[in-house]
Structures are given as structure tokens and as C-alpha cells.
Amino acid sequence: MRETLSIKDLFQMVKKRIALIFIITTLITAITGIVSFFILSPVYQASTQILVNQSKESTELYNVGEIQTNIQLIETYSEIIKSPMLLEKVKDRLNLDLSNSALSEQINIVSKGNSQIFTIKVESTDPKLAVDVASAITDIFQVEIKALMNVNNVNVLSKATIGDNSSPIKPNPIMNMIQACFAGVIISLVLIFLLEFFDNTIKVESDIEEHLNMPMLGIVNLMDSKKKRK
């Protein structure tokens, strides 16, 4: 293969192996679709929102420093929620046969910037189990945080319900197939470039000069049988 390639050469490479690109892309997209639709288990998500805010009397004004303290406490609360102590209590309440690490991987704590609200999200292949775990975490956390930190600044804004989680959050077969299609095209292009790079056959006149390191003096054109008879 020549050391340098022009844009025209690249287009010729793609044109010559367009069938290979189509086959590989179609195959990868089809396999991804089959796996997404028929093999991967749907995953459901239940979520509940928690407000971190010290209760106040109606005449008491809010303190900016106290609000910042509540926001900073969210990180600590997130660690407590995913701690072995709390996870063990959740497993005992729901009779779950899971390790702490497996249960922790299903739990995600999300907070936004300077908000005093954080969200507990639980993922599971069973929508009812996701709701049960989210509810158990919320109930146990509210009780345990009072004993652990001697505070009463946790309030539940929304509770998880099965109705809110009737549709799985993943897999997304259509999106997976779109991504697989792009991946198939890229893989096909890389493959044909590699095939062209390792192809040492002589295709054009310049390849002769490159391989033999000798100047080309002339070209003998092929003649068809009719011209030969004449």
C-alpha cells in the first residue's frame, strides 16, 4: 500500500468494500437489537425525595449559615444511607438475600448544587422491589439519623410508588441499536483501512516503482480478442 493516500483513494476504498461495511453494520445492529429486546432484563427505578431542613418556629427567620450546613450534611447523609449498618437493616426488613455491595450498587444518591433536597434512587429488575427498598431506606434513615447525629432535620417530600415506575429505565433498545449502527460503521471503516494497509498487491503503476525502486519506462495496455485478430 502507498504511504500516502488522497481523499479520492479513501473514497475508492470505501466504495470498493461498501458491501462489507453494510454487512458488518447490519450484523452488529441486529445482534444489539436481539440482546436488548429479548435477553437483557428490564430495569425499573423507584425514587424518593428528602428535604434536609431544621424545623423552625413560625417567627424564627432562616439562617443562611444553617442552610449551608444542611446542604453540606447531604454528603454525610449519603454515606450513612449506603453504610453497612443501614443496608443490613433494610435487608432484614425486606428479607433480601443480597450482599451489602450488591444492594449498594442499586442505590444512587442525587443532589443538585445548593439545594437542600436530595433524591434516593433505587434500581431493580422487579419494580415492586425497587419501591420497597426505596421506602425501607427512607423509613430506616429517618429513625437512625436522629440517634446517630441527634438531629431532626429530615423530611420526606415524595414517596416511591409502583405507578410511577411502570416503564423500565433501561435497556433502551432503539437507542442501543442507533449506537450499535454508528459503532458498526466505525468498526467497518477501521477494518477496511487495515485490510488496505496490509494489502501488498500491485494495483497501480506507482506501486511498481515503490516496490521495485526502479523507474517505469512504459506501459503495455491489454488488448481484447477482436483487436488481436485485426
Side-chain angles (χ1 to χ4, degrees):
M1 180 181 176
R2 285 170 292 171
E3 294 182 358
T4 59
L5 290 173
S6 65
I7 299 297
K8 182 179 179 181
D9 294 330
L10 296 176
F11 277 113
Q12 289 297 328
M13 288 165 51
V14 173
K15 182 179 179 181
K16 182 174 65 175
R17 303 183 188 273
I18 190 67
L20 179 63
I21 296 175
F22 177 78
I23 292 172
I24 293 177
T25 303
T26 303
L27 185 62
I28 293 177
T29 303
I31 292 174
T32 302
I34 292 172
V35 172
S36 298
F37 276 107
F38 303 107
I39 297 178
L40 294 179
S41 300
V43 176
Y44 300 85
Q45 179 178 273
S47 61
T48 179
Q49 287 186 316
I50 305 293
L51 171 65
V52 179
N53 186 31
Q54 187 70 36
S55 59
K56 297 181 178 295
E57 300 293 337
S58 59
T59 57
E60 189 176 358
L61 297 176
Y62 282 94
N63 185 289
V64 176
E66 187 173 302
I67 293 176
Q68 290 299 319
T69 300
N70 289 332
I71 293 173
Q72 293 170 3
L73 281 173
I74 291 177
E75 185 173 350
T76 301
Y77 291 169
S78 299
E79 294 296 327
I80 293 174
I81 289 172
K82 302 186 76 171
S83 67
M85 177 272 297
L86 194 137
L87 295 179
E88 286 291 343
K89 292 181 180 294
V90 172
K91 291 193 298 181
D92 291 341
R93 173 179 291 193
L94 301 177
N95 295 319
L96 297 179
D97 186 18
L98 289 174
S99 65
N100 288 340
S101 59
L103 181 57
S104 179
E105 289 177 358
Q106 297 179 4
I107 303 169
N108 188 26
I109 312 298
V110 180
S111 60
K112 295 182 179 179
N114 293 324
S115 174
Q116 293 179 253
I117 299 173
F118 68 95
T119 305
I120 302 173
K121 297 182 178 181
V122 179
E123 296 181 0
S124 175
T125 54
D126 182 351
K128 184 179 183 304
L129 180 60
V131 172
D132 290 343
V133 171
S135 300
I137 290 173
T138 304
D139 295 341
I140 295 172
F141 174 68
Q142 279 187 293
V143 174
E144 294 298 326
I145 200 64
K146 295 178 183 178
L148 290 173
M149 302 189 65
N150 195 26
V151 294
N152 185 23
N153 62 348
V154 175
N155 300 283
V156 179
L157 294 182
S158 64
K159 294 185 177 181
T161 60
I162 297 178
D164 297 334
N165 306 278
S166 57
S167 299
I169 60 169
K170 58 184 179 181
N172 187 336
I174 302 301
M175 182 58 65
N176 289 348
M177 292 176 68
I178 292 174
Q179 294 175 347
C181 182
F182 282 108
V185 172
I186 294 174
I187 292 173
S188 303
L189 292 176
V190 171
L191 180 60
I192 65 174
F193 290 149
L194 288 175
L195 290 174
E196 194 73 19
F197 181 81
F198 290 107
D199 185 2
N200 294 322
T201 58
I202 295 175
K203 300 181 180 66
V204 293
E205 295 83 0
S206 59
D207 291 341
I208 300 175
E209 296 180 342
E210 181 180 347
H211 284 81
L212 300 179
N213 293 321
M214 297 175 62
M216 185 174 57
L217 300 179
I219 301 174
V220 178
N221 292 323
L222 294 176
M223 299 180 61
D224 59 28
S225 58
K226 291 183 179 179
K227 290 183 179 179
K228 288 180 179 179
R229 288 195 296 270
K230 290 180 180 180

